Amino acid sequence: MDQQPDIKATILEMAMLRGHEKSTCPSEIARLLFPGHWRAHMSAVREEAIALQKQGLVLITQKGEPVDIKKIKGPIRIKISDK
């Protein structure tokens, strides 16, 4: 039985590695975890990022500014939370 990659842990690891000053793109996480068919997993990565923001662990931004997760439209970036 194939084990599914841990999207949540990978988002947190990438965000922590980038630090508070830099962010990561959800596509970087999807490409890392699902090479060859990463686009099919973009929504799952975005959903996990939203769940992590609700927990206060990451911050989702657009154009460098925090974004209301209820109104996300377009590309996003993920940063480790300052909290």
Side-chain angles (χ1 to χ4, degrees):
M1 186 169 133
D2 288 335
Q3 186 175 4
Q4 287 294 320
D6 190 343
I7 297 170
K8 178 191 260 185
T10 305
I11 291 171
L12 288 172
E13 181 180 350
M14 291 288 288
M16 285 189 278
L17 286 172
R18 295 285 164 94
H20 295 282
E21 300 300 318
K22 296 184 180 179
S23 61
T24 188
C25 181
S27 67
E28 292 177 76
I29 289 139
R31 288 173 206 254
L32 178 68
L33 295 175
F34 308 99
H37 58 283
W38 62 271
R39 282 185 175 94
H41 298 277
M42 282 295 294
S43 62
V45 173
R46 286 173 66 109
E47 288 172 19
E48 281 292 344
I50 289 168
L52 288 168
Q53 179 164 311
K54 287 179 180 177
Q55 295 172 38
L57 299 172
V58 301
L59 179 64
I60 296 174
T61 63
Q62 288 184 312
K63 298 181 182 180
E65 298 296 321
V67 66
D68 181 348
I69 57 175
K70 295 176 187 164
K71 298 178 183 178
I72 292 176
K73 188 174 186 179
I76 62 170
R77 303 283 297 179
I78 306 165
K79 294 176 65 168
I80 197 68
S81 178
D82 290 332
K83 295 178 183 179

